[in-house]
Amino acid sequence: MAVRVGVLGATGAVGQRLIQLLDPHSDFEIATLTASEASAGKTYRQAAKWRVDSPIPDAVADMTVTATDPDAVPNDVDMLFSSLPSSIGADVEPGFCEAGYVVSSNSSNGRMDDDIPLVIPEVNPDHLDLLEVQRDERGWDGAMVKNPNCSTITFVPTLAALTEYGLEKVHVSTLQAVSGAGYDGVSSMEIIDNAVPYIGGEEDKLETESRKLLGEFDGAELTHNGMDVAASCNRIPTIDGHLENVWVETEEDLTADAAAEAMREYPSLDLRSSPDPLIHVFEEPDRPQPRMDRTLGDGMAIAAGGLQESPFGLQYNCLAHNTIRGAAGASVLNGELLLENGYI
Ligand SMILES: NC(=O)c1ccc[n+]([C@@H]2O[C@H](COP(=O)([O-])OP(=O)(O)OC[C@H]3O[C@@H](n4cnc5c(N)ncnc54)[C@H](OP(=O)(O)O)[C@@H]3O)[C@@H](O)[C@H]2O)c1
């Protein structure tokens, strides 16, 4: 029987993607939708300016949106997917966990907390066991798991494929799509015919989240990976798909051919939303490209290309769909992992 789930922040850009992915999902059934007080009481069709590339699913169009409050969520709902602004998430998400709900969240609040698992299922599924520590420390009946920032998710799986060579220094420069800032995030006057070499707070997220994701969990404590990471983040006028240029210095010698093989062979998982292959490695020197390659693996694959040796170690490019693999799809995949591991 499908697990009854809710979406917090259901009317937003990521919330709409969540609904698009959850509606046909055989493990989950959308039972409740929340948003701000301004949307509460309206039907979903009235409250959401639907902008996803498929019609509003019939199952949600006439559902009444509620306030984002644990008392407004029916008791038979077992899991919540959260796509709230991080300041709101920080205020309200813990209350849902206290009330017994398991929350799979996109919002950046709490991602770096010691007892909150930050998870990409194909990379660090074992970190999910931090939930035992979390429940002990916080006394929650529910639980909170986070997925990383969209630009972190794009390059970390490629690094995970290379860990046996000993990661020492990573430089990453991003070319990020406008949808990553939400529908109203970047004005057209700012981005058309332009590139903006600054995205507030983003560089720090790539640098810190990547070390947490590739850290070691010993069953009680998580030790972050000791590699050095330097990130430079740029907004460019693509709609979806973050492209990143990466240089990796490793302890052991690493050729471009060995790196390509390690990425191609890096395993996916037997979860519905995990693509196979996880990492698609292009031979063509001009790929991956956002418009052509962001929907690989239904938007859940990582694309890599341009692998070559350089004076700064291995050099390559990678790409992922920022609102699917980088946001809504990442939360849904974490939901599948929670389900498989008996947390729901
Ligand atoms: N866009 C991306 O690619 C991306 C990628 C990764 C992570 N994220 C993260 O995902 C989250 C959502 O991003 P988004 O782009 O979807 O934002 P968004 O389009 O602005 O949507 C925000 C959602 O939160 C609701 N909300 C706003 N204020 C609220 C309040 N005071 N109480 C309850 N609900 C409230 C909104 O409801 P109303 O419609 O009623 O205002 C809406 O449903 C953010 O934390 C963001 O950092 C986004």
Side-chain angles (χ1 to χ4, degrees), residues 8 34 68-70 73 80 92-103 142:
L8 311 180
T34 86
T68 303
D69 178 339
V73 174
L80 298 169
V92 306
E93 285 178 349
F96 284 96
C97 299
E98 257 170 55
Y101 295 104
V102 174
V103 179

Side-chain angles (χ1 to χ4, degrees), residues 8-15 34-39 47 68 83-86 88 106-108 111 147-150 179-183 205 322-323 326-327:
L8 311 180
T11 51
V14 177
T34 86
S36 73
E37 293 289 347
S39 300
T68 303
S83 55
L84 294 165
S86 50
I88 308 299
N106 253 290
S107 310
S108 60
R111 278 186 195 147
N147 55 261
N149 177 266
C150 44
S179 61
Y183 194 85
K205 288 178 186 162
N322 55 297
T323 62

Side-chain angles (χ1 to χ4, degrees), residues 52-69:
V52 179
D53 50 357
S54 60
I56 300 190
D58 289 341
V60 301
D62 296 318
M63 210 176 260
T64 301
V65 176
T66 71
T68 303
D69 178 339

Side-chain angles (χ1 to χ4, degrees), residues 66-128:
T66 71
T68 303
D69 178 339
D71 291 338
V73 174
N75 287 334
D76 62 352
V77 166
D78 287 316
M79 179 155 67
L80 298 169
F81 292 96
S82 173
S83 55
L84 294 165
S86 50
S87 57
I88 308 299
D91 276 351
V92 306
E93 285 178 349
F96 284 96
C97 299
E98 257 170 55
Y101 295 104
V102 174
V103 179
S104 173
S105 168
N106 253 290
S107 310
S108 60
N109 54 288
R111 278 186 195 147
M112 296 305 295
D113 288 5
D114 288 344
D115 63 344
I116 294 197
L118 181 66
V119 176
I120 301 174
E122 298 94 336
V123 171
N124 60 336
D126 57 312
H127 290 198
L128 200 65

Side-chain angles (χ1 to χ4, degrees), residues 300-324:
M300 289 297 283
I302 310 295
L307 282 92
Q308 55 195 285
E309 292 132 43
S310 87
F312 302 102
L314 176 76
Q315 177 183 335
Y316 61 93
N317 310 311
C318 54
L319 169 86
H321 195 300
N322 55 297
T323 62
I324 303 179

